[in-house]
Amino acid sequence: MTDRRTRQPDGSIEATQALALRLAIGAALLTFGLSLYARSLDLLRTDIPLRASNGRLFWLASVIGVIGFGFAVDHFTGRIASTGSVVTPRPDLAASSAAILPALVVFAALQLVAWDSRFAVALSASLLAGAGVFTAIVVRHYLLSGDPAVFSGARLVQMSLTAAVGFLSLSLARGWMAGTLYTLVVVMVIAGLLLFQAFDGVRAFPIRRAAYALAAGVVLAEVAVALSYWPPLGWHGGAIVATVFVVLMLTIDAILTRSVSSDLVARYAGAGVGVCGLLVFLAR
């Protein structure tokens, strides 16, 4: 007898891909539309988003658009699950995190066009938003399928996409020179959400995942604030925060999958220190 928690019915991947394509087009159009609006503004990197008089409406529209898009992702993926096209697995595997990565992909793209609103950047950001949303939705399908043949590959793709979104979002959040409080809050929220969804498919209850994500988000926020007292040039500061983000993500993953050891943590920490040291040298 087929176990619906671990086996997917025929055609489920086609339904997911069709939905992912529609949502990807929507993400690209949303990003491009707001990009055109950003091009008409003179957004200053020293202004606090949502408080700056010039860019307030852009940031307000961006936040509302991202939240609305997240609700759309959650709604439509939930409708597919309710029709049986996608299996709903154990409760500890299926926390309500389907909308997080697609929404943050769009938010990262909007941060980029706010930072640099040239037409080529706006077009590239829109295409990347669409591609990222499509990938996030399809890879989550495989993560929750219970198929061991595709789980490892899906995990690698999801964690790679999470790291890329983290690098872009955290770099830009930190680079927007809007003060310590803004950096602290935004970095903690973005990092915490990314780390919570990064463990979809891992057999760990949501409360445990949330605790690790919150703790790591606080650490990353403190790192970002500390770097504000030594502002490295270009993307180097964001790359340092992203390196710490990846080290924490890999360490939490090892803890949740019960594969953690002192040697493994030492290797992750050593690699992170080495990369950060290189970035400090290059940022001089």
Side-chain angles (χ1 to χ4, degrees):
M1 187 176 193
T2 302
D3 185 353
R4 286 182 57 82
R5 293 178 305 172
T6 58
R7 296 297 182 88
Q8 300 232 9
D10 294 338
S12 60
I13 183 58
E14 286 79 8
T16 301
Q17 288 175 340
L19 172 65
L21 180 60
R22 292 194 293 269
L23 290 171
I25 293 172
L29 292 176
L30 173 64
T31 303
F32 189 68
L34 288 172
S35 299
L36 295 180
Y37 180 46
R39 285 175 53 80
S40 67
L41 303 174
D42 183 20
L43 299 176
L44 300 177
R45 297 176 184 176
T46 54
D47 289 338
I48 300 177
L50 291 178
R51 289 184 57 186
S53 58
N54 190 37
R56 182 181 302 152
L57 290 179
F58 167 78
W59 287 111
L60 182 61
S62 296
V63 171
I64 293 174
V66 167
I67 293 174
F69 182 74
F71 275 112
V73 172
D74 187 68
H75 173 71
F76 287 113
T77 54
R79 284 185 61 184
I80 287 184
S82 66
T83 61
S85 295
V86 174
V87 173
T88 301
R90 285 175 32 173
D92 56 338
L93 299 182
S96 300
S97 56
I100 293 177
L101 188 55
L104 288 181
V105 165
V106 175
F107 186 63
L110 291 172
Q111 284 181 283
L112 180 59
V113 298
W115 185 269
D116 186 346
S117 59
R118 290 176 297 172
F119 184 79
V121 176
L123 183 60
S124 299
S126 302
L127 294 174
L128 289 174
V133 167
F134 182 86
T135 302
I137 294 172
V138 172
V139 78
R140 192 171 190 272
H141 171 100
Y142 287 113
L143 283 173
L144 301 184
S145 69
D147 186 355
V150 299
F151 182 77
S152 297
R155 285 284 292 144
L156 178 61
V157 173
Q158 188 207 28
M159 294 183 77
S160 299
L161 179 60
T162 298
V165 174
F167 168 67
L168 185 59
S169 293
L170 297 176
S171 296
L172 293 172
R174 184 198 160 276
W176 210 272
M177 297 176 289
T180 300
L181 181 60
Y182 171 83
T183 301
L184 187 72
V185 172
V186 173
V187 169
M188 183 174 65
V189 171
I190 292 175
L193 288 173
L194 283 173
L195 287 170
F196 179 75
Q197 65 78 40
F199 309 108
D200 283 347
V202 175
R203 293 182 180 275
F205 283 94
I207 187 63
R208 192 178 180 204
R209 290 167 52 187
Y212 281 117
L214 178 61
V218 171
V219 170
L220 285 161
E222 293 292 343
V223 171
V225 169
L227 286 173
S228 66
Y229 295 99
W230 171 71
L233 299 176
W235 293 84
H236 294 98
I240 292 173
V241 178
T243 299
V244 179
F245 174 85
V246 171
V247 170
L248 290 173
M249 180 172 64
L250 293 174
T251 302
I252 295 170
D253 180 67
I255 294 172
L256 294 178
T257 57
R258 298 175 177 82
S259 61
V260 67
S261 67
S262 57
D263 290 341
L264 185 65
V265 173
R267 286 198 295 270
Y268 288 156
V273 169
V275 173
C276 289
L278 178 61
L279 289 169
V280 169
F281 175 78
L282 294 174
R284 292 188 305 170

